[in-house]
Structure formats: structure tokens, C-alpha cells
């Protein structure tokens, strides 16, 4: 039960015998280094965002996040994430299943292609959709004839976002499922379980943490994407501006506080997903404890 | 055990529901796109409403219409005020409701968006070059500059210096910018329309000082850009660098931007210096013929731009620190806009196309400044 | 242990692989093909001139070195962060764990503005470093810092799960055989961590090469000195030179692809070895 080991490792760590851990000095030195590094690189920018956001007081903060343009940007951002994230989740599961449960030629190539959107400059990620669907692009004239608007409307924004967040779920699942191997699934299959049954009953419980984690990362990135979306959005106020674009516009209008206030909204959205993760984790740990109790009884 | 099975089933179902929901949404997304592209469909529904109510009204209201004005960064306040004025005017004049959507961004980027299919009825950009680029693709007639008065520029501006309060480095004119201890902030002419005006103004000054000697002028701008510690990608980025980061002694900026910075960011911290000579910046406007004809909005789009030349509109323009074209309004605001010698892009630089190839295109003079050994 | 052969008892190979390839084609491959096709609008000479002009070469160098050093720093500190988060308990651990994901969530432009504000000569950290003669914002060092911010989660999040899955038994066995902690780490743990570290490094590096939004604010964009390759692509676009822009984009694409392929190959081999042993 490799999966089970992963999921309740936190209990395990506490129970580990003393002689195999480092001395407390090493431990605290490492913790300090890690915290100092994070403080300098990540925490400091975060703090500066919040300080700027509240610089002109609560009323300015509130006014800027309830501004109609900000609200419509928020709606657009959530909508985009709601489409892009589930699509990439389904893809991630399918890709991880194919790659880790079977062997076939060109697997490395496939994994690399899946990774590719990570490493493509956001500038280019937007540009490729312009080359495809732009009025001067491959499908542009056809789309124009049929009165279908992809660029500078929701579909274009969703496409760019989906592209940028494409690998997150797959990338999270592949190493995990690879480490878990195929034994459990094969055992289930030999006992006569059907395809979906194997997936729902055996695989999914084993990968749920990785999956959840991938979804959260994918979601965070989907809501925060700036470069690629900026190319395909058209910047129509109250219509095709996502939250990150709205932040840029406010900043360019010297409304620094308002701009950081809206940026902090994105931080809050990310925090909410993390809280959801913690709640799920907590609920399952209760279930897990119950399960362990039962297992102990059975022995 | 039964407890656990239940949770598993729960999560199973919720994931399934989620994915179905996602697919449905994706479908809707496509549908939405359809609608926004097909404005004529929208307006038909409004016609029905209108004809229902027409019985009670003496003059029959026309169906509501929507315009998209694609503009560059600093015009937001200007068009926000102007749109209100125009909407009222059009309502009383034509008894038709207009909604005007705005899109702002870097001038070149905005022009590219229109080329790539952003359905703008009118464009109001920073440089003629950017509208020429749209015209080249056949979306706008090539004679667009003759369609409206004053080269289709309802307002002008110029390039001025923004210095720190009290002008500690004593900057008065272009040649002060290349003094040893002076740092100059300007955006990158390769990525910013405004920065091209800055560069050309400097070039024009040097040319005049050296009786038209281009080699000397090139030396001057090369020296000038040696004094630039940071090249931001856009005009607003440069202002932030100068104002918020405290870098540099002088910011080269549009007149309206300089006024806005002083008003928004601190009257007690900065002052504006007018050099002896500068350049006449003419931000042009045009109706995007193809879009306006497709959407049937030509009449209102043309009226929208024409109305910019009326006295009321010119007042709003002057209040937003753009130089008005109308003599009566210019007279009224003459304290705000000092007169100075202004070069023009057409007379002194042979038009945008020539200026662009000579100075800013890859391998042009601006590139040579930075490549060692040339 | 046996790897699953082509004839597996498990179902769903056709469906899952088919869907994967289909989705990949629609969303990634066909759009990327647009870049290749657009580039063919140039003759070979034009292409070569565009991608090897002096400014462009200088920008490769800057993008490469800053991304490389940023990824290297992330490799070291990312490992420490991951280790601390997996192995130790301390107050506020959950919060720190969440903090790691922040660079994904914060729009890159906001990150750029915030970092510039902090590291500019009049910023919180910049003003402390200024008297020491260290300039961060508007120098290659500034670019590196922005890229460290962008790349951090890639390293931490690839190392973390593997570290969590590391079999305690091997480690414990090593300790029982009398190995010291440091030796256990070097001989037992580190080899296991090399594949994920490499992946994390490669992802952070490749991401750094392409990063634009956060870097333009802090880099100063000085030609030949702090001009990154993505900025040159933007510059080309600003001149309506789509072919030139895609030519440079293609070079970047090939570089990232080659590197990711290499890393994935290394990782896959080391995994196979681990499985067959």
C-alpha cells in the first residue's frame, strides 16, 4: 500500500525514532535557512502588495474591489478557471494513466511535449493563438465569415489559459502514479474488476492527494495568468479584462492602491483553494484514522 | 468501512458532476463568442422592443447601438468624459442610445489587436504609423488622414521635461540632458510610441543646432541615450521609475502625461520644464471602415469622431491637458499651454514611414547607438 | 519486478492515450505549428540573420545565464525548503507550505512591480544594499531575483512528493548499519532525489528563459546589458514583424524542448533502473 504510506506520512514522521533524524541544531539551521529564503524571495513581495493595497485605507480598498470593472473582471477570471481547470484535469488523468500504466514507444517524447507549455514564453503562448485565429491567421477568414469570435472574447481567453496551465495536473500525477506501479490495478483486474471500477476504486483513492494538488496549482496559475491572456484579450473594459489585466490597467493609471487591492484579491482566491484543500485533508484524516482502527481490529 | 465507502462515492460523484459542468460551460463559452461577434443579431431584438414602444412616442427611437473605441494608455480620463458628452448629444440629436466600450493599452499592441480581429469601430491611437499599419491590411482606407480635419488629429500634444522640484540640476533645454551628472528617463523607442516622439524631438533639436548635420545629430542622441539608466517598455513604466523609484533627474514625457503625473503624484515634488524646441505630437483618429460597415455603425462612428472637433469636446480635451485644435478654445486655455517651436513629423521627418525605417526599424539609427563598434 | 509490457491486463490504453494525443494536438501541437509555419515565411538567410544578430545573441546570453543561476539557487534552496516542509514540524508550517505556491498565483506583472519596489535603490532591501555598492534592480542580478521567485515552486513541488515517498526502510537500514546522518543523506537519499531535482531545475530554468511579465519591470531593458530574449520578441511584434518574432520564438522553443527532452530521458532511465534493480 504505497499510497497509504504517502497519505499518512505526517503521523509517521512524528513516530520516527530519534537516532535517524538530524541533531536539533542542524534541524533548526535548515528551518531558518528555508524561512529566511522564503521571506526574502516570496514573503516580502507579498507583504508589499498588502501594504500598498491598504495604504489609502479600507474604504479605498473596498471601493476598488467592488468597482463594476473589477467585479466583471473577477467573474471572467472565475469563469475562465472553471472551464480551463476541469478540462486540464480530465486530460491530466488520461495522460497519466496512459503513460504510467502502459509501455509504448515515444513515451519520453510525449512527456516532454506535455511539459512544453511550462517552458514557452507567455508572450509566445498568446501569439500562437493570434497566428491561428487572428483575422490574418489560418482560420481567421473562415471564422469571420461565420461570425465566430474567438480572439478578444471568452473562447480566446479560455484557450490561452488552458494552454498555459496544460501540464499542471499531468505533471503532478505522472511521477506519483509511476512510483505506485500497476500491481494494485492488475490485482483488481484479475479479480474481475472492470475498467472504470478499477479507476474509481483503486487508482483514484491512491492518487487523490496528487490530483487535488495538481488541480489547486492549475487553478492558481489559471487565475493569475497575465502574459498570454494579455495578448488575446483585447482589453475591453468590463468585458474581456481578467483580474490580472485589470491590475495592470489600474497600475498604469497611477491607482497604485486600487491596483494592489485587486492583486490581493487574487492572493485571497489562492488562499481559499488552499483552505479547501486543508478541510478535505482534515476530513479524510478522520476517515483514515477510522480505517486504521478497523484494520487493527481485523489483524 | 461503510463510512469510507460513502466518502469515496461522494468524491466520485462530485468529480463527475464537475467535469460534465465543465464541458457544458465550454459549450456555452463558444456560444457567447458567437453572440458577441454577431451584434446585428442583438440589435434586431432591440428593434422589436423599440417598435413596441413606438406607439406612445412621437419621434421613433432608433435601435440602440454600441461602439468600441480602441485607444492607447493615457486617454482614459479624456474619453471617459467625452463619451458622456457624446452619448447625451446623440440621444438629443438622433434619439438613439449609444453605449461606448473602451479598450486601452500600448498603441502598437492595440493596433495589432485591431489587425488581428478586435472589432473596433473607431481607433484613437498615439501615432499615425499605428493606424497606417491597420490601413495596410485593408481595414481602413489609405486616405484616412484626409477624412477628418487637421490630419485627423482632433488634439495634439508635445514632449516636455519633468524634473524634480526646484530643478536641482538646472535643466532647461535638450543640451542640458547630456551634462555629466544628469540621468534621463525615457521608455524604449522600440516598444513605446511615446518614446519615439521623445527620440525624434531630441534628433530634431540636434539637427537644428548643427545646421542639419546628421552625423552630429546621431552623436547627440547616442550621447543622450548613454545618460539613460533604464529603458522601460512603456511610457507609464518610465513615469513610475522616475516618480516611485526615484531614479533619474529628468523624465521625457508627453505634455499631458507630465501634467497628469504632477497632479496625481505630487505637485510639491515635480515641475515641468519646456525646452526651446520640441515636436508636435499628433495622436490621430480613424473609423475602422471594415468593422463599421459590417456592423452598420458607420454613421454614428463618424459622428463620434467629428464631434471631437466641436467646442464642447475641445474644452474637455484641453481640460485633460491635450492641446485643442479649435482656436477659440486654445485662446481660452492659453496659459496652460505655452507656445514653443514645434517640429512636425511630416515636414521635418518625411512622415512616419520614413522616420520608422530610418530610426527605429531593426538596424536603424537607434539600434546602432547600442551596438558596439558602429 | 516487471514493467507492464505492451499486452497489459489493464484496460483503457486506447482511450486514454487517444484522448491524450488528441487533446495535446488540438491545444499544443497545432498552435505551436503556427510558429514553425510562420517562420518559413523567411528565407534561410533572413532567418539566420534574425536569430544571430548582435542584440539577439546578447539577449540569449543574458536570458541563459540569469535563468541558469536562478534555477541553480532554486535547486539548493528549493531542496532545503522541501526537506524542511516534509521532515520537520514547526509552528506555521502549513502557512509556509502555502507560501511556496504564491508565485503561481500572483500575476507575473504584480510580482515584477512588487519586486522592483523592494529591490530598487529606494526600496526596503535595495536601500540597505545601496551603501554596500550592490545594485539589484535594473541589473542582471534583478532579473535573477525575479526568476528565482518565478521558478521556486517548480523545484519545491517536484522534490516534495518524492521526498515524502522515500522509503523509510532503506534509510533506517543504512542508519542501523552505522552510517552517519550526512552519509545516509549523501549515499541513500540524494541519489533518489537527483531525478526530481533535475526535473525541477529544468522546469525552473525553462520557465525562466521565457518569463516576460515580471522581468520587464525589474530588468531596466538596456540593450546588450539587461535585455532578455522575450523582450526582443515583443520589440519585433511592435514593428509588425511577425516572422522575425516567430523566428526568435522558434529558437527559444527548440532550446526548451531539447532540454526538457534530455531531462525527461535521464529521469525515465533512472526510474527504470530503480525499478529493475
Amino acid at each position: 500500500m504505497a499510497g497509504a504510506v504517502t497519505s499518512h506520512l505526517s503521523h509517521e514522521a512524528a513516530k520516527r525514532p530519534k537516532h535517524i533524524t538530524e541533531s536539533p541544531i542542524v534541524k533548526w539551521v535548515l528551518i531558518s535557512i528555508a524561512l529566511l529564503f522564503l521571506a526574502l524571495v516570496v514573503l516580502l513581495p507579498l507583504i508589499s502588495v498588502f501594504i500598498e493595497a491598504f495604504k489609502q485605507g479600507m474604504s479605498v480598498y473596498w471601493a476598488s474591489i467592488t468597482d463594476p470593472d473589477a467585479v466583471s473582471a473577477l467573474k471572467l477570471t472565475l469563469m475562465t478557471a472553471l472551464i480551463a481547470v476541469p478540462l486540464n484535469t480530465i486530460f491530466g488523468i488520461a495522460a497519466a494513466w496512459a503513460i504510467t500504466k502502459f509501455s509504448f514507444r515515444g513515451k519520453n517524447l510525449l512527456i516532454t511535449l506535455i511539459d512544453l507549455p511550462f517552458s514557452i514564453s507567455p508572450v509566445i503562448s498568446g501569439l500562437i493563438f493570434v497566428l491561428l485565429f487572428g483575422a490574418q491567421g489560418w482560420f481567421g477568414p473562415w471564422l469571420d465569415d461565420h461570425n465566430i469570435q474567438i480572439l478578444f472574447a471568452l473562447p480566446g481567453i479560455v484557450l490561452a489559459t488552458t494552454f498555459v496551465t496544460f501540464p499542471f495536473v499531468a505533471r503532478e500525477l505522472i511521477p506519483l502514479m509511476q512510483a505506485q506501479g500497476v500491481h494494485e490495478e492488475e490485482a483488481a483486474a484479475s479479480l474481475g474488476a472492470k475498467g472504470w471500477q478499477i479507476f474509481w476504486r483503486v487508482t483514484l483513492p491512491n492518487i487523490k492527494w496528487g490530483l487535488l494538488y495538481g488541480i489547486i496549482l492549475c487553478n492558481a496559475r489559471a487565475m493569475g495568468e497575465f502574459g498570454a491572456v494579455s495578448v488575446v484579450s483585447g482589453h475591453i473594459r468590463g468585458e474581456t479584462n481578467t483580474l490580472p489585466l485589470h491590475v495592470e490597467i489600474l497600475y498604469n493609471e497611477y491607482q497604485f492602491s486600487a491596483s494592489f487591492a485587486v492583486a490581493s484579491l487574487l492572493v485571497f482566491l489562492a488562499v481559499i483553494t488552499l483552505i479547501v484543500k486543508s478541510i478535505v485533508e482534515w476530513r479524510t484524516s478522520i476517515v483514515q484514522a477510522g480505517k486504521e482502527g478497523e484494520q487493527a481490529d481485523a489483524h | 468501512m461503510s463510512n469510507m465507502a460513502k466518502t469515496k462515492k461522494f468524491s466520485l460523484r462530485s468529480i463527475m458532476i464537475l467535469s460534465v459542468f465543465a464541458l457544458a460551460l465550454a459549450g456555452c463559452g463558444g456560444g457567447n463568442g458567437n453572440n458577441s461577434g454577431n451584434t446585428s443579431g442583438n440589435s434586431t431584438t432591440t428593434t422589436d422592443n423599440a417598435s413596441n414602444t413606438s406607439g406612445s412616442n412621437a419621434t421613433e427611437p432608433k435601435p440602440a447601438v454600441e461602439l468600441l473605441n480602441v485607444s492607447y494608455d493615457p486617454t482614459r480620463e479624456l474619453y471617459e468624459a467625452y463619451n458622456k458628452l457624446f452619448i447625451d448629444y446623440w440621444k438629443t440629436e438622433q434619439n438613439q442610445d449609444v453605449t461606448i466600450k473602451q479598450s486601452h493599452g500600448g498603441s502598437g499592441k492595440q493596433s495589432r489587436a485591431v489587425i488581428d480581429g478586435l472589432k473596433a469601430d473607431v481607433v484613437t491611437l498615439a501615432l499615425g504609423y499605428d493606424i497606417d499599419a491597420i490601413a495596410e491590411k485593408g481595414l481602413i482606407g489609405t486616405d484616412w488622414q484626409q477624412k477628418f480635419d487637421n490630419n485627423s488629429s482632433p488634439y495634439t500634444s508635445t514632449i516636455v521635461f519633468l524634473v524634480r522640484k526646484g530643478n536641482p540640476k538646472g535643466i532647461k533645454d535638450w543640451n542640458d540632458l547630456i551634462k555629466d551628472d544628469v540621468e534621463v528617463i525615457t521608455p524604449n523607442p522600440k516598444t513605446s510610441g511615446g518614446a519615439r516622439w521623445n527620440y525624434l524631438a531630441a534628433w530634431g533639436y540636434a539637427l537644428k543646432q548643427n545646421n542639419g548635420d546628421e552625423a552630429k545629430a546621431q552623436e547627440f542622441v547616442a550621447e543622450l541615450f548613454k545618460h539613460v539608466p533604464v529603458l522601460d517598455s512603456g511610457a507609464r513604466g518610465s513615469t513610475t521609475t522616475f516618480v516611485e523609484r526615484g531614479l533619474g533627474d529628468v523624465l521625457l514625457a508627453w505634455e499631458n502625461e507630465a501634467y497628469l503625473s504632477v497632479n496625481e503624484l505630487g505637485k510639491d515634488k515635480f515641475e515641468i520644464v519646456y525646452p526651446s524646441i520640441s515636436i508636435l505630437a499628433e495622436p490621430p483618429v480613424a473609423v475602422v471602415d471594415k468593422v463599421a460597415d459590417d456592423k452598420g455603425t458607420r454613421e454614428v462612428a463618424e459622428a463620434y469622431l467629428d464631434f471631437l472637433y466641436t467646442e464642447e469636446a475641445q474644452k474637455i480635451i484641453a481640460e485633460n491637458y491635450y492641446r485643442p485644435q479649435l482656436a477659440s478654445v486654445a485662446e481660452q486655455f492659453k496659459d496652460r499651454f505655452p507656445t514653443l517651436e514645434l517640429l512636425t513629423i511630416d515636414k521635418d521627418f518625411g512622415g512616419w514611414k520614413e522616420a520608422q525605417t530610418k530610426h527605429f526599424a531593426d538596424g536603424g539609427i537607434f539600434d546602432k547607438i547600442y551596438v558596439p563598434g558602429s | 519486478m516487471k514493467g507492464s509490457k505492451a499486452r497489459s491486463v489493464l484496460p483503457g490504453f486506447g482511450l486514454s492515450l487517444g484522448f491524450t494525443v488528441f487533446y495535446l494536438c488540438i491545444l499544443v501541437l497545432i498552435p505551436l505549428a503556427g510558429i514553425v509555419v510562420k517562420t518559413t515565411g523567411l528565407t534561410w538567410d533572413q532567418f539566420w540573420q534574425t536569430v544571430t544578430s548582435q542584440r539577439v545573441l546578447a539577449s540569449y546570453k543574458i536570458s541563459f545565464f540569469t535563468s541558469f543561476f536562478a534555477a541553480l539557487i532554486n535547486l539548493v534552496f528549493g531542496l532545503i525548503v522541501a526537506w524542511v516542509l516534509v521532515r520537520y514540524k514547526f509552528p506555521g508550517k502549513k502557512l509556509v507550505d502555502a507560501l511556496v505556491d504564491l508565485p503561481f498565483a500572483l500575476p507575473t506583472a504584480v510580482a515584477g512591480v512588487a519586486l522592483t519596489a523592494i529591490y530598487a535603490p529606494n526600496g526596503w532591501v535595495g536601500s540597505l544594499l545601496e551603501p554596500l555598492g550592490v545594485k539589484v534592480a535594473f541589473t542582471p542580478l534583478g532579473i535573477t531575483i525575479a526568476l528565482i521567485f518565478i521558478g521556486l515552486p517548480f523545484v519545491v513541488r517536484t522534490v516534495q512528493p518524492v521526498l515524502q515517498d522515500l522509503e523509510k526502510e532503506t534509510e533506517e537500514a543504512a542508519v542501523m548499519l552505522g552510517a552517519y546522518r550526512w552519509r545516509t543523506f549523501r549515499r541513500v537519499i540524494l541519489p533518489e532525489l537527483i531525478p526530481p531535482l533535475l526535473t525541477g531545475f529544468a522546469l525552473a530554468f525553462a520557465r525562466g528563459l521565457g518569463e516576460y511579465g515580471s522581468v520587464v519591470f525589474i530588468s531596466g531593458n538596456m540593450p546588450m546589458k539587461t535585455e532578455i530574449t522575450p523582450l526582443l520578441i515583443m520589440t519585433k511584434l511592435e514593428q509588425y514583424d511577425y516572422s522575425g518574432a516567430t523566428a526568435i520564438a522558434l529558437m527559444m522553443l527548440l532550446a526548451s524542448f531539447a532540454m526538457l527532452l534530455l531531462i525527461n530521458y535521464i529521469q525515465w532511465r533512472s526510474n527504470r533502473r530503480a525499478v529493475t534493480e
Side-chain angles (χ1 to χ4, degrees):
Chain A
M1 283 293 276
V5 171
T6 334
S7 48
H8 60 260
L9 215 127
S10 44
H11 309 281
E12 194 94 338
K15 278 188 265 164
R16 290 171 66 205
K18 272 213 174 95
H19 65 276
I20 71 154
T21 34
E22 299 78 26
S23 69
I25 300 174
V26 176
K27 174 183 162 183
W28 285 106
V29 165
L30 286 179
I31 291 181
S32 315
I33 293 176
L35 291 186
L36 195 71
F37 176 74
L38 284 176
L40 215 59
V41 175
V42 183
L43 190 61
L44 221 51
L46 183 68
I47 292 174
S48 82
V49 166
F50 276 92
I51 287 185
E52 284 286 340
F54 288 104
K55 212 175 199 171
Q56 292 175 19
M58 201 58 212
S59 58
V60 172
Y61 184 89
W62 188 246
S64 40
I65 60 171
T66 52
D67 177 81
D69 281 351
V71 173
S72 85
L74 176 66
K75 277 188 197 150
L76 181 64
T77 301
L78 290 177
M79 183 72 156
T80 308
L82 216 56
I83 301 170
V85 174
L87 281 178
N88 281 339
T89 305
I90 295 169
F91 162 74
I93 294 171
W97 180 269
I99 285 168
T100 59
K101 304 293 178 196
F102 305 94
S103 65
F104 53 91
R105 265 170 194 280
K107 194 183 268 189
N108 280 319
L109 185 70
L110 186 63
I111 299 178
T112 307
L113 287 175
I114 291 173
D115 275 347
L116 208 50
F118 267 148
S119 63
I120 289 176
S121 179
V123 177
I124 302 171
S125 316
L127 180 65
I128 53 176
F129 290 106
V130 171
L131 292 178
L132 274 192
F133 301 116
Q136 318 292 323
W138 290 354
F139 303 121
W142 186 87
L143 290 170
D144 200 41
D145 288 345
H146 293 76
N147 242 327
I148 300 170
Q149 185 91 18
I150 288 192
L151 283 189
F152 314 117
L154 184 67
I157 297 172
V158 170
L159 272 176
T161 309
T162 313
F163 179 89
V164 171
T165 57
F166 184 84
F168 276 88
V169 177
R171 190 70 236 178
E172 204 63 40
L173 289 183
I174 291 170
L176 187 66
M177 285 168 70
Q178 206 182 323
Q180 286 170 358
V182 292
H183 313 296
E184 286 184 49
E185 280 85 358
E186 278 175 353
S190 67
L191 290 173
K194 295 224 177 60
W196 289 108
Q197 258 178 329
I198 297 176
F199 176 73
W200 291 118
R201 292 293 173 84
V202 181
T203 311
L204 194 61
N206 278 343
I207 61 166
K208 63 185 172 214
W209 291 123
L211 181 63
L212 185 68
Y213 206 69
I215 292 174
I216 287 171
L217 288 187
C218 185
N219 184 56
R221 187 72 209 281
M223 292 193 297
E225 176 52 27
F226 169 76
V229 172
S230 155
V231 179
V232 296
S233 119
H235 301 273
I236 306 170
R237 265 162 206 282
E239 211 172 288
T240 62
N241 273 332
T242 61
L243 274 186
L245 298 181
H246 191 61
V247 170
E248 190 215 12
I249 285 174
L250 289 173
Y251 189 80
N252 273 345
E253 280 163 3
Y254 306 131
Q255 302 188 43
F256 300 128
S257 287
S259 147
F260 283 104
V262 176
S264 73
L265 210 58
L266 278 162
V267 176
F268 281 131
L269 283 176
V271 169
I272 287 172
T273 54
L274 289 169
I275 289 173
V276 172
K277 178 193 162 202
S278 296
I279 291 172
V280 179
E281 216 166 342
W282 174 71
R283 277 193 49 179
T284 348
S285 75
I286 292 173
V287 174
Q288 198 100 50
K291 179 184 154 197
E292 266 165 35
E294 277 172 43
Q295 274 175 345
D297 290 346
H299 279 301
Chain B
M1 208 58 205
S2 62
N3 196 6
M4 189 201 165
K6 220 179 272 169
T7 12
K8 208 183 282 171
K9 240 182 236 159
F10 170 75
S11 58
L12 182 155
R13 204 184 307 140
S14 56
I15 289 178
M16 261 166 67
I17 292 170
L18 206 70
S19 37
V20 170
F21 186 51
L23 287 175
L25 268 178
C28 287
N32 275 351
N34 269 340
N35 287 344
S36 62
N38 185 358
T39 3
S40 57
N42 283 345
S43 48
T44 356
T45 41
T46 357
T47 324
D48 291 344
N49 287 341
S51 51
N52 284 342
T53 50
S54 64
S56 56
N57 267 5
T59 49
E60 202 165 303
K62 291 183 198 165
V65 66
E66 191 181 290
L67 287 184
L68 174 60
N69 176 7
V70 170
S71 195
Y72 62 113
D73 262 331
T75 57
R76 184 194 177 210
E77 291 80 8
L78 167 64
Y79 279 107
E80 211 162 72
Y82 172 70
N83 287 349
K84 277 191 203 115
L85 184 74
F86 179 75
I87 288 167
D88 288 346
Y89 158 79
W90 196 250
K91 182 77 186 161
T92 46
E93 198 76 359
Q94 298 281 332
N95 198 12
Q96 184 178 31
D97 288 316
V98 203
T99 9
I100 297 158
K101 296 251 173 197
Q102 286 291 143
S103 165
H104 297 270
S107 188
K109 192 176 173 183
Q110 293 291 76
S111 143
R112 265 198 332 276
V114 174
I115 290 173
D116 288 323
L118 180 59
K119 301 265 183 255
D121 302 87
V122 298
V123 285
T124 53
L125 296 175
L127 329 162
Y129 178 70
D130 291 327
I131 296 186
D132 277 336
I134 304 174
E136 235 167 66
K137 300 287 176 189
L139 299 177
I140 297 176
T142 42
D143 58 339
W144 62 270
Q145 209 143 28
Q146 275 76 57
K147 290 278 173 68
F148 298 95
D149 291 344
N150 306 101
N151 272 336
S152 288
S153 300
Y155 40 84
T156 64
S157 191
T158 186
I159 299 301
V160 300
F161 302 162
L162 191 68
V163 297
R164 304 201 183 273
K165 192 76 192 174
N167 199 356
K169 297 273 165 93
I171 293 158
K172 292 196 183 66
D173 207 349
W174 291 97
N175 55 351
D176 294 324
L177 301 183
I178 56 167
K179 284 198 294 198
D180 280 347
D181 58 340
V182 173
E183 281 195 334
V184 183
I185 304 292
T186 170
N188 190 341
K190 304 278 272 194
T191 50
S192 154
R196 278 175 228 163
W197 293 112
N198 294 349
Y199 170 99
L200 289 177
W203 177 271
Y205 166 84
L207 216 53
K208 207 138 230 175
Q209 291 289 305
N210 297 300
N211 301 317
D213 185 343
E214 291 218 341
K216 287 261 172 63
Q218 188 171 333
E219 247 168 57
F220 178 81
V221 287
E223 187 59 35
L224 175 64
F225 276 90
K226 279 198 190 116
H227 289 255
V228 179
V230 173
L231 280 172
D232 284 286
S233 57
R236 293 277 162 119
S238 278
T239 312
T240 314
T241 302
F242 182 72
V243 172
E244 294 283 302
R245 313 275 168 262
L247 246 70
D249 303 299
V250 52
L251 171 76
L252 308 186
W254 298 73
E255 187 178 36
N256 56 306
E257 283 285 278
Y259 272 109
L260 195 68
S261 319
V262 171
N263 290 344
E264 298 259 326
L265 304 166
K267 277 197 167 76
D268 48 341
K269 286 192 225 150
F270 308 102
E271 52 190 69
I272 293 170
V273 170
Y274 282 86
S276 65
I277 184 172
S278 191
I279 192 162
L280 181 71
E282 298 176 293
V285 300
V287 172
V288 183
D289 296 311
K290 186 172 177 291
V291 177
D293 288 342
D294 283 357
K295 284 166 70 174
T297 50
R298 170 171 289 282
E299 190 195 3
V300 56
E302 275 173 0
Y304 178 75
L305 295 183
D306 250 335
F307 194 69
L308 277 168
Y309 292 90
T310 61
E311 192 168 347
E312 299 153 276
Q314 292 276 310
K315 261 186 201 157
I316 290 182
I317 284 167
E319 277 160 11
N320 282 284
Y321 302 100
Y322 282 92
R323 295 188 169 213
Q325 295 278 19
L326 205 66
S328 60
V329 180
E331 179 62 27
Q332 202 182 328
F333 285 87
K334 68 169 191 270
D335 296 342
R336 189 173 273 193
F337 304 112
T339 43
L340 67 161
E341 191 187 342
L342 294 176
L343 306 164
T344 68
I345 190 83
D346 288 331
K347 262 189 247 140
D348 299 282
F349 298 93
W352 265 115
K353 223 162 257 160
E354 203 183 312
Q356 179 72 25
T357 3
K358 184 170 169 185
H359 294 278
F360 308 120
D362 283 351
I365 293 175
F366 180 74
D367 275 357
K368 286 190 187 133
I369 291 175
Y370 279 103
V371 177
S374 55
Chain C
M1 288 197 186
K2 69 177 187 73
S4 51
K5 292 280 162 283
R7 289 252 154 253
S8 170
V9 290
L10 292 181
F13 177 65
L15 178 69
S16 59
L17 187 68
F19 177 70
T20 303
V21 172
F22 170 76
Y23 191 72
L24 186 75
C25 283
I26 292 285
L27 213 68
V28 177
L29 295 186
I30 293 176
L32 283 180
I35 289 195
V36 180
V37 171
K38 193 83 197 174
T39 312
T40 54
L42 296 173
T43 66
W44 177 247
D45 271 354
Q46 283 170 321
F47 174 78
W48 192 246
Q49 249 169 22
T50 308
V51 299
T52 59
S53 82
Q54 231 170 342
R55 286 267 289 281
V56 178
L57 286 179
S59 83
Y60 293 151
K61 219 162 79 187
I62 292 153
S63 280
F64 182 87
F65 279 113
T66 51
S67 312
F68 184 81
F69 282 116
L72 209 60
I73 290 169
N74 273 332
L75 188 74
V76 175
F77 288 94
L79 174 62
I80 296 177
V81 171
W83 179 271
V84 163
L85 286 176
V86 171
R87 292 293 165 100
Y88 304 141
K89 280 196 154 178
F90 55 93
K93 182 173 146 176
K94 272 245 155 72
L95 216 65
V96 175
D97 197 17
L99 208 57
V100 172
D101 289 334
L102 185 78
F104 281 146
L106 211 58
T108 49
V110 176
V113 170
L115 286 169
T116 315
I118 295 166
Y119 290 98
N122 65 353
W124 296 343
V125 179
S127 59
L128 297 177
L129 295 174
E130 179 93 90
L132 307 173
V134 183
K135 278 194 178 144
V136 182
F138 315 120
T139 67
L141 189 59
I143 305 177
T144 312
I145 290 207
L147 296 181
I148 292 173
F149 178 86
I150 296 298
L152 176 71
F154 284 103
V155 177
V156 178
R157 294 311 185 205
T158 30
V159 175
Q160 221 174 353
V162 180
L163 203 54
Q164 233 161 36
D165 257 358
L166 254 189
E167 303 254 337
K168 288 289 142 7
E169 291 82 26
T170 10
E171 221 180 296
E172 277 167 23
V175 175
M176 268 173 232
L177 291 173
Y180 288 105
R181 186 66 190 147
W182 173 241
R183 241 179 102 190
T184 323
F185 177 78
R186 236 183 30 197
R187 292 288 178 79
V188 182
I189 305 177
L190 200 59
E192 292 281 327
L193 287 183
I194 282 178
L197 277 174
L198 270 178
T199 311
F201 177 84
L203 290 178
F205 178 72
R207 176 88 168 84
L209 280 182
E211 178 54 20
Y212 175 77
S214 62
V215 175
V216 281
F217 289 97
I218 204 168
S219 72
N221 307 328
M222 296 305 289
M224 312 297 291
K225 282 188 211 128
T226 56
E227 198 172 47
I228 54 165
T229 313
L231 179 70
L232 281 178
I233 297 179
M234 279 313 255
T235 310
K236 298 264 181 214
L237 287 179
E238 210 64 30
Q239 296 163 45
Y240 307 101
D241 180 6
Y242 281 58
S243 317
T246 50
I248 300 179
L250 187 66
M251 292 302 284
M252 291 183 67
L253 194 65
L254 290 176
S256 322
F257 181 74
M259 206 175 57
L260 288 175
L261 193 63
L262 181 74
I263 297 293
N264 277 330
Y265 179 69
I266 292 172
Q267 194 185 11
W268 196 261
R269 258 187 51 170
S270 74
N271 269 334
R272 263 240 306 266
R273 212 179 47 225
V275 169
T276 40
E277 260 166 17

